[in-house]
């Protein structure tokens, strides 16, 4: 290892340990998501952070061995899969603009005649899931999504938390409304219950921060798996997914996240965030308490501290 590399590694290790200790002691931790009953049962007293580097080394702190529900972070991976399947035709059905609305907003969809603003709000992600499903049985489509996550993280043990999926299905009335509405415009092509079934299950994939940080490495390193050098997606596509994460990855909190953290990031209501330092690292954080936009409160604070200490930013 070069001396500068080992200094960087030392600096990350120290920062990760100090940030984990600080976050574990914080009192104001936000509110856990309550609209999915299984997620309401998760203790907000948890915090985890993992940083994955190009060479596969990971630096972790806090509860990084505890799997959590990745929820909307799965949408980064379904977008990559759907682009691989249908290419730029995807953008005929889904836009690329920040929504300025909550992640489950219905009102905007009517204004825009059933075409979701971007692939990360719920409506857009349901439309993307529908594209992956076309031509397959729901089980096959879900298997493809799960295998993709196992492949990019290099870990076959990743699985779906079926009780979270069932819990969301039982209470997913808003998502059902969005999907039915899009079906009326032909944006959703498959039977609504099949599309929603796949969507609820991919949101219910459970991962540790370490697994998630490893899974995000292709977005940080030119679209490639840095261990093998094999291309997962093209460089251009990786850049574009990062651009969408920066502009739309935190819903109505995307501007604040870009301002405070300065990195592409995608949040989920399970309290996870995946953040990408292009050419530098892939970072996953988790703390179940959310802010009013549905983004992890301590997760964002931790990323802000880490980015500042390491001078990581896409803005120079
Ligand atoms: N499965 C969740 C939902 O559809 C995902 C939302 C999120 O993580 N922001 O409501």
């Amino acid at each position: 290892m070069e001396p500068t590399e080992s200094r960087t590694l030392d600096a990350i290790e120290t920062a990760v340990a100090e940030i984990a200790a600080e976050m574990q002691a914080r009192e104001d931790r936000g509110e856990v998501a309550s609209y999915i009953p299984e997620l309401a049962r998760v203790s907000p007293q948890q915090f985890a952070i993992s940083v994955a580097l190009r060479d596969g080394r990971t630096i972790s702190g806090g509860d990084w061995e505890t799997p959590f529900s990745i929820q909307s972070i799965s949408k980064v991976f379904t977008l990559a899969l759907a682009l691989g399947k249908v290419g730029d035709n995807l953008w005929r059905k889904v836009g690329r603009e920040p929504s300025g609305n909550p992640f489950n907003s219905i009102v905007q969809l009517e204004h825009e005649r059933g075409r979701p603003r971007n692939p990360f709000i719920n409506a857009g992600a349901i439309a993307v899931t529908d594209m992956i499903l076309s031509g397959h049985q729901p089980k096959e489509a879900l298997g493809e999504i799960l295998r993709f996550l196992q492949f990019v993280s290099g870990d076959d043990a990743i699985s779906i938390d079926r009780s979270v999926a069932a819990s969301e299905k039982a209470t997913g009335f808003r998502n059902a409304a969005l999907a039915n509405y899009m079906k009326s415009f032909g944006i959703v092509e498959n039977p609504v219950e099949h599309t929603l079934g796949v969507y609820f299950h991919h949101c219910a994939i459970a991962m540790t921060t370490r697994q998630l940080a490893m899974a995000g490495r292709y977005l940080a390193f030119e679209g490639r798996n840095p261990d093998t050098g094999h291309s997962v997606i093209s460089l251009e596509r990786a850049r574009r997914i990062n651009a969408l994460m920066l502009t739309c990855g935190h819903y109505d909190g995307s501007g604040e996240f870009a301002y405070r953290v300065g990195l592409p990031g995608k949040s989920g209501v399970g309290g996870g965030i995946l953040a990408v330092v292009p050419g530098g690292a892939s970072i996953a954080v988790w703390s179940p308490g959310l802010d009013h936009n549905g983004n992890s409160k301590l997760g964002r604070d931790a990323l802000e501290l880490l980015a500042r200490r390491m001078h990581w930013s896409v803005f120079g």
Side-chain angles (χ1 to χ4, degrees), residues 35-36 39 70-73 75 103-104 120 122 126 168 175 199-200 203-204 251 266-270 293-295:
Y35 76 101
I36 301 175
L39 295 184
I70 66 168
Q71 292 295 320
S72 287
I73 305 170
K75 298 171 183 177
F103 61 84
N104 53 7
F120 294 151
N122 285 9
I126 292 167
E168 185 168 0
N175 285 324
Y199 172 79
F200 291 142
C203 287
Y251 314 108
K266 181 76 207 81
S267 69
V269 286
N293 288 316
N295 302 315

